[in-house]
Amino acid sequence: GSAVFSSPSHKVDLNDYMQWWQYVAGANWQHPEGPNSTITGRENHPVVQVCYEDALAYATWAGKRLPTEAEWEYVARAGKTNTTYYWGNDLKPNGKWVANIFQGNFPDKNSKEDGYAATAPVKSFPANPFKLYDLDGNVWEWCNDLYRPDYYAVSSKENPKGPKDSYDPEEPAVEKHVQRGGSFICSDQYCIRYKAGSRGKGETGSAGNNLGFRCVKDAK
């Protein structure tokens, strides 16, 4: 089983995330919302319900790897610096949504202005200048780096590979890896981590229906 986002029917206290997350027995990558759900018709959506270990195993099998956080940030920036969002400073350039995030009143009323209540098919929104899709919103993406909030204060300034150990002061005994990009439930009312430079974190064995990954490969 795994965590599934479940929109409540009424306004809730945003300090209690258990109001919109449920543990669902039988939820996995083939049944993202539980045993009664399927990926049929969603073959072009990003895979979800994969923990870090799952993502790493797949990447290794495919002859690839997971990106470092620095690599992820570099390609998300795509040459831009000091912008609010990876695509620029306007949330809706020319009045159009360019990423799949939550619109409306979080978490109970999703207005679906961008057309999607949950994941969107890959390439539903414009590519960035490096011709990459969905680095913002849609699903969080695992990075290879272990998570430490203090790492970049002491890391190499060129191509840092991530810390040697994990440390989250909120849960010191739990090993965590970095997640980037935000997801379809990120909202200005609650989670604004689709904004440029924002970081996420997750326990190595955790998954959810808003969490996926992408593979990378060294250039020859």
Side-chain angles (χ1 to χ4, degrees), residues 5-27:
F5 174 74
S6 180
S7 183
S9 60
H10 55 279
K11 290 184 178 181
V12 296
D13 182 355
L14 296 184
N15 292 314
D16 182 9
Y17 62 85
M18 296 304 293
Q19 296 293 316
W20 57 86
W21 281 111
Q22 293 183 356
Y23 175 83
V24 178

Side-chain angles (χ1 to χ4, degrees), residues 52 67-70 72-73 86 135 139-152 163 166-168 170-171 175-183 186 191-204 206 210-212:
Y52 171 82
T68 66
E69 185 177 10
W72 195 99
E73 177 74 8
Y86 286 116
L135 286 154
V139 297
W140 282 102
E141 298 180 2
W142 286 110
C143 291
N144 195 59
D145 297 31
L146 289 162
Y147 174 81
R148 288 191 69 99
D150 56 357
Y151 174 63
Y152 287 102
S166 166
Y167 177 71
D168 180 359
E170 295 179 354
E171 294 182 293
E175 182 182 81
K176 296 186 179 182
H177 279 77
V178 174
Q179 301 166 352
R180 295 299 304 265
S183 77
C186 277
C191 168
I192 58 172
R193 286 180 290 174
Y194 61 90
K195 290 188 175 181
S198 298
R199 311 174 74 201
K201 58 192 176 183
E203 189 270 324
T204 300
S206 66
N210 69 332
L211 175 59

Side-chain angles (χ1 to χ4, degrees), residues 122-165:
V122 174
K123 299 184 180 182
S124 294
F125 298 90
N128 77 359
F130 286 177
K131 299 182 179 180
L132 295 172
Y133 293 87
D134 299 318
L135 286 154
D136 284 287
N138 219 14
V139 297
W140 282 102
E141 298 180 2
W142 286 110
C143 291
N144 195 59
D145 297 31
L146 289 162
Y147 174 81
R148 288 191 69 99
D150 56 357
Y151 174 63
Y152 287 102
V154 297
S155 71
S156 167
K157 300 302 180 184
E158 183 174 340
N159 199 21
K161 302 294 187 181
K164 294 181 179 180
D165 60 357

Side-chain angles (χ1 to χ4, degrees), residues 26-28 30-40 42:
N28 57 45
Q30 291 177 304
H31 306 282
E33 291 82 42
N36 295 326
S37 64
T38 178
I39 57 173
T40 301
R42 291 192 273 183

